[in-house]
Amino acid sequence: MRFLTSSALAASLSIMTLSVSGQATAQGMPPEQIKQILDVTKANWVAFRDWEGKQLIYFTHLESWKCGIDFVFYGLNDGQLDQMWELDECDPDNPNAVLKDKPYIELPAGSTQSISVQLVYPDGSKSSVETYQYKP
């Protein structure tokens, strides 16, 4: 699993504590601020895990910011971004809760060497395509 560096964590926390002006999302912050948080934390968008003879790729971080994301597209092993991760519906009363039973995709062990991910935000803009390498 990937973790935030101390500088990325500090930047993320400072972004989250900025005063909020203008229209806010369900998470109490404007969409531009959520995009900044997702940009700072992009190293954590997905995580690989080997479990009981299977390879799991977790989308937990993106699920926790689902109120600021419209779509998540991904592709495996340098393939096209032709698959979509379906985020749970945003709950304004509990926007960061990850309630999905399985916040991951399950694949045969060793079948995936990389995953590329791109987000589409509510304003229609897209993130850069981020690629994550499997490291056993």
Side-chain angles (χ1 to χ4, degrees):
M1 288 192 165
R2 298 170 188 246
F3 297 95
L4 284 175
T5 63
S6 58
S7 60
L9 179 59
S12 176
L13 291 174
S14 66
I15 289 170
M16 287 188 248
T17 57
L18 291 172
S19 63
V20 178
S21 62
Q23 186 172 358
T25 68
Q27 287 167 307
M29 59 185 70
E32 190 58 38
Q33 197 170 4
I34 293 173
K35 284 170 47 174
Q36 289 175 340
I37 290 167
L38 286 164
D39 185 54
V40 171
T41 61
K42 63 185 165 192
N44 298 317
W45 285 0
V46 297
F48 286 90
R49 181 179 185 201
D50 293 323
W51 182 254
E52 296 182 350
K54 295 181 179 134
Q55 187 177 45
L56 309 179
I57 303 176
Y58 282 81
F59 290 83
T60 312
H61 184 77
L62 298 177
E63 282 290 336
S64 70
W65 290 102
K66 63 189 163 279
C67 293
I69 305 168
D70 270 1
F71 302 101
V72 177
F73 293 100
Y74 69 93
L76 303 174
N77 296 327
D78 298 321
Q80 295 182 17
L81 301 175
D82 59 355
Q83 298 181 66
M84 187 172 78
W85 173 258
E86 291 193 34
L87 295 163
D88 269 348
E89 192 172 321
C90 175
D91 178 357
D93 295 328
N94 202 1
N96 296 102
V98 178
L99 303 174
K100 191 171 262 192
D101 213 16
K102 291 185 177 183
Y104 56 85
I105 54 175
E106 191 173 306
L107 303 162
S111 66
T112 305
Q113 287 71 51
S114 68
I115 182 171
S116 297
V117 179
Q118 184 174 45
L119 309 180
V120 179
Y121 300 105
D123 66 3
S125 65
K126 297 177 182 178
S127 71
S128 58
V129 175
E130 300 298 327
T131 301
Y132 305 87
Q133 301 296 322
Y134 170 67
K135 295 176 185 165

